[in-house]
Amino acid sequence: MRRRLATAAVCGLMAASAWANPHRLDDSLSHTVPPNVQMQWRPVPPGQSDAGGMEAWLRVNVRINTRDWSGRNGRVYMVLPRDQASNIEAVWTTQGRLQPGRLVSGERTLVYAGQLPGAALEDQLQVRLRSGPDWQSSSRRLNFHFELDVD
């Protein structure tokens, strides 16, 4: 009996580790328009001294290589790792292939669920980036990427 429980526990841990280990997808053909974005100060409404911060708008032409997973069911997530600078919030709309959504530094959010079509997932995102008033960088690279959890 103990042997069966130990075997079941090991199998459960293996399954959990496989689920917790998403596959990073190649999105190297994705690009932003414009290629470099300048964050601008948001206006501070009268009487709200803590409401300021930085904001930028851009378009992202997304092309995610799904060739190795074509025909399989899964979930694709957009990820924005946390870095040492001010938190960033990204909010976007899409043209329909991917899901619109919201993402904050250190999180991932679902952008596609279902059968992966052909060699690539493609869409165009209209993105608003916002940070708090603690933004201190004149130059910063945001390292968005995509991950796949296969069903």
Side-chain angles (χ1 to χ4, degrees), residues 4-144:
R4 281 189 213 159
L5 286 174
T7 301
V10 169
C11 288
L13 287 173
M14 288 172 51
S17 69
W19 177 79
N21 188 14
H23 304 279
R24 186 161 178 164
L25 296 170
D26 176 10
D27 66 337
S28 60
L29 294 178
S30 297
H31 63 278
T32 62
V33 178
N36 297 303
V37 177
Q38 182 71 40
M39 297 286 278
Q40 303 292 325
W41 283 104
R42 291 190 323 231
V44 178
Q48 296 184 3
S49 61
D50 63 340
M54 303 293 282
E55 179 176 72
W57 289 86
L58 67 146
R59 183 175 73 226
V60 182
N61 295 319
V62 175
R63 182 173 170 86
I64 305 168
N65 183 342
T66 57
R67 183 177 316 277
D68 293 343
W69 308 100
S70 179
R72 305 251 331 249
N73 286 320
R75 291 166 309 286
V76 176
Y77 295 88
M78 186 187 316
V79 181
L80 177 57
R82 184 176 309 281
D83 61 15
Q84 300 301 319
S86 174
N87 276 345
I88 294 287
E89 175 195 54
V91 177
W92 64 91
T93 60
T94 70
Q95 291 188 341
R97 183 61 149 189
L98 300 177
Q99 296 177 15
R102 177 185 176 275
L103 183 61
V104 176
S105 302
E107 296 179 353
R108 74 179 195 161
T109 193
L110 184 69
V111 294
Y112 182 87
Q115 186 175 26
L116 296 166
L121 269 175
E122 297 182 73
D123 205 340
Q124 188 175 85
L125 311 182
Q126 297 295 328
V127 182
R128 183 196 71 210
L129 299 173
R130 278 193 176 169
S131 74
D134 59 340
W135 180 274
Q136 295 184 5
S137 174
S138 62
S139 174
R140 181 173 171 192
R141 180 172 182 81
L142 300 178
N143 294 310
F144 288 93

